[in-house]
Amino acid sequence: MLKLITPVMQVVEWPMRALQRVLGPRRLAWAFLAPNLVLFSLFAFLPVILNFVYSATGSDHILLRDRPYVGAQNFAELLNCQSYTDPNSCRIDVFWRAVWNTVTFVALQVTFMVVFSLLTALILNRKIRARGFFRAVFFFPVLLSPVVVALVWKWMLQDQGLLNATLQNLGFGTVNWLLSPGWAFGWSVFISVWAHMGFYTLILLAGLQAIPRDVYEAAAMDAAGPWRVFRRITLPLLMPTMVVVLVLALIKGVQTFDEVYAFTGGGPGSATTLVIQYIYQTGFAGTPRLFGLASAASILVALVLVGLTAVQLWLTRRNANG
Amino acid sequence: MARFLTRTRGKGGLHWTDWASYAYLALGVFVMFAPVLWLVVSSFKTEAELQHYPPRLLPYIQKTITLPGHDEPLPVFKVTRGDLAGQQVAQVRRIGLVSQVVRPEDPQTIVKVPISDRAPVERVALATTNYSKLFARFDFPRFFWNSLFITVVATAITLLVNAMAAFALSKYEFRGRGTVMALVIGTLMIPQTVVLVPLFLVVRDFGMINSLWGVIIPGAATPTGVFLLRQYMLTIPDEILDAARMDNASEWKIFWRIILPLSAPALAVLAILSIMWRWNDFLWPLIALSRSENYTLQLALNSFQGEFTTDWASLLAMTVLTLAPIAAVFAFLQKYIATGIASTGGK
């Protein structure tokens, strides 16, 4: 490996040495930071500012000089609703459908995710044989790409798929899983839990293993029952990890797009259209491309995410400080 | 229930909670593995076998036979009724409900058999036609190359750029270091999903839309990477650096001759994460690459599933080839991946 990079590094050495002579070794830090800062500025901070510009301008032009200023019109349009709970009463009903879909999706997905990863972590933390194998089994879907996850399950669930054949074999009727709104939504939640629970299981397992053994030994001395040990020791000591898992799952849940889009395409109708898909379709897939609306919608999503991330950072910091 | 949730069990035989645990794990193995296994097995089925309903677990191939006077290998059937009942015959052609067959001993005499009176002779075998078709009919190597190029180049850039930043933030005292750290944390708050429109403009202004570089560059600097590497570099003692400075080594030389090799474990974790992110990336490539010759494997996979008709035979094979590299990486580096992901929070 070192042999491979040596020529590149040696070429860079000359300009860096010259810079060092000019700046002195201390200020050379900025030269090391420069590439990262340039990338962050161009592809993270600048877009954040431009996002506001887009959200305040109209038309389907991408170039900013072609876009007329419209003030808060994009936001007003998105938020124009008789009642926020009823998408049909909204001017842009697809957006609100997507919002409510996302809320339901995240609520269900995060609940199942936390419950199943906790259960799995608790079981993996027991004295079981082949623990490494079982841990890997629950973990490997994390590595699969969202599109692969979607296709694996689509193949299971298609009309003449294995699941329908099994159901028929057992004497039940077959179901058009992805053409019925309720089932399509339910399966979307399922595959997303299936794909990601291994990740949270791993974090919870690490949390469980960090609980000192002597606490349990002391409890055993006091002849505390297992349920009591779980309620009074395991759960409270695991709480910080649980909260981190919860917040992380929320942050990722709100941003769900890939696997559901590849799985159902947002359908049937808009039954599984989530809010990121709305942004993608409004800004890029539909005609005309409504960049202003897409940006306004992403700012609304960003507000939620910034809130959640702030909580996450505060929690990690608190946990790190003990 | 109560015992079930607790951590330890008594010595001696298996408690019922152990049985419950193993039952849960067995169910887990089934739910996690079976769908993927089913996909892999299915990808080795012929198109005819894929149409078979109800589906059979193992892939079957119909036996064929090459007879004199016929150029193509002929499919073999077993006749179930009539004069030839019990005999194996080769089908020459099929017209409507009637199949024209010949006996292998007498390949010139055509006998007509109703198709309801014959059953295919099959054996369990892996059909690789779906895979060969991918290379013959689709531009699979190009998609594969695009994905590979993006993954390798992006990972190399990510490692270098993030290591440089981490080096500056861990080994130098300078004014503004706190501000830079705050900026890096700030970028954690800006996921790509919420800046798609302006990101498109910026990348377009650099002329990188519909270019693989437009996928590689925007995500090259990652706050996760900087944190991960900085945390590790903080543990490298400063005395080593000072000794090198005594020997008149330039700062750049210290960086790549000392810091980089010593940070190898952290670099490996970041490399694995980056490979995973890049290989599996979907939303940004979907926006940045609109011409099919630039498609990554993920985009190609997604576009192959038509709205109404899906060419499952090709799609299954392509899915397997898309997940194979990651599966291979996983098999070898399972432990590192798990710790890497757990220590960084995934992204």
Side-chain angles (χ1 to χ4, degrees), chain B residues 5 27 56 73 83 87 89 92 123 133 142 156 218 283 322:
Chain B
L5 293 168
L27 184 72
R56 294 182 287 192
D83 300 341
Q87 290 197 43
V89 295
V92 179
R123 64 193 161 88
K133 210 172 74 181
R142 175 174 284 269
L283 178 55
T322 305

Side-chain angles (χ1 to χ4, degrees), chain A residues 80-153:
Chain A
N80 183 353
C81 270
Q82 305 273 319
S83 148
Y84 288 120
T85 49
D86 176 17
N88 288 325
S89 73
C90 298
R91 203 175 127 68
I92 303 186
D93 58 330
V94 191
F95 174 67
W96 283 97
R97 253 180 260 280
V99 167
W100 285 114
N101 282 344
T102 310
V103 170
T104 321
F105 182 88
V106 170
L108 289 173
Q109 191 232 34
V110 170
T111 311
F112 284 119
M113 193 87 93
V114 170
V115 168
F116 281 109
S117 35
L118 179 63
L119 188 61
T120 313
L122 284 169
I123 287 177
L124 287 177
N125 197 37
R126 292 164 60 97
K127 285 178 187 151
I128 50 163
R129 278 165 208 280
R131 182 193 292 166
F133 166 75
F134 287 118
R135 201 178 51 192
V137 163
F138 283 95
F139 180 75
F140 90 93
V142 174
L143 303 172
L144 299 182
S145 86
V147 186
V148 168
V149 169
L151 286 173
V152 162
W153 282 98

Side-chain angles (χ1 to χ4, degrees), chain A residues 66-299:
Chain A
D66 300 333
R67 297 177 60 82
Y69 178 75
V70 296
Q73 197 189 305
N74 286 317
F75 287 99
E77 220 170 308
L78 277 181
L79 299 174
N80 183 353
C81 270
Q82 305 273 319
S83 148
Y84 288 120
T85 49
D86 176 17
N88 288 325
S89 73
C90 298
R91 203 175 127 68
I92 303 186
D93 58 330
V94 191
F95 174 67
W96 283 97
R97 253 180 260 280
V99 167
W100 285 114
N101 282 344
T102 310
V103 170
T104 321
F105 182 88
V106 170
L108 289 173
Q109 191 232 34
V110 170
T111 311
F112 284 119
M113 193 87 93
V114 170
V115 168
F116 281 109
S117 35
L118 179 63
L119 188 61
T120 313
L122 284 169
I123 287 177
L124 287 177
N125 197 37
R126 292 164 60 97
K127 285 178 187 151
I128 50 163
R129 278 165 208 280
R131 182 193 292 166
F133 166 75
F134 287 118
R135 201 178 51 192
V137 163
F138 283 95
F139 180 75
F140 90 93
V142 174
L143 303 172
L144 299 182
S145 86
V147 186
V148 168
V149 169
L151 286 173
V152 162
W153 282 98
K154 247 183 135 162
W155 178 237
M156 286 288 289
L157 297 172
Q158 55 131 346
D159 271 358
Q160 311 218 319
L162 191 57
L163 187 66
N164 270 340
T166 313
L167 281 180
Q168 209 169 35
N169 218 352
L170 296 174
F172 299 100
T174 62
V175 183
N176 244 330
W177 300 108
L178 296 183
L179 291 181
S180 119
W183 281 117
F185 195 86
W187 280 112
S188 300
V189 173
F190 174 84
I191 65 162
S192 124
V193 173
W194 183 86
H196 302 297
M197 69 170 275
F199 166 61
Y200 299 100
T201 304
L202 215 62
I203 299 182
L204 286 171
L205 193 58
L208 282 173
Q209 283 170 349
I211 299 175
R213 239 160 224 287
D214 39 354
V215 186
Y216 287 106
E217 278 157 20
M221 294 275 208
D222 294 343
W227 176 243
R228 212 174 142 77
V229 170
F230 175 72
R231 279 283 307 276
R232 292 298 171 85
I233 298 179
T234 311
L235 212 52
L237 287 176
L238 193 63
M239 229 355 131
T241 320
M242 287 277 284
V243 178
V244 168
V245 163
L246 190 72
V247 178
L248 266 181
L250 280 171
I251 292 175
K252 289 193 179 174
V254 173
Q255 295 183 69
T256 306
F257 167 78
D258 304 3
E259 64 251 25
V260 176
Y261 179 73
F263 187 52
T264 64
S270 54
T272 55
T273 302
L274 301 179
V275 73
I276 300 296
Q277 191 188 335
Y278 170 78
I279 295 172
Y280 165 69
Q281 280 179 339
T282 312
F284 299 98
T287 40
R289 298 170 137 208
L290 301 170
F291 295 116
L293 270 186
S295 280
S298 28
I299 288 174

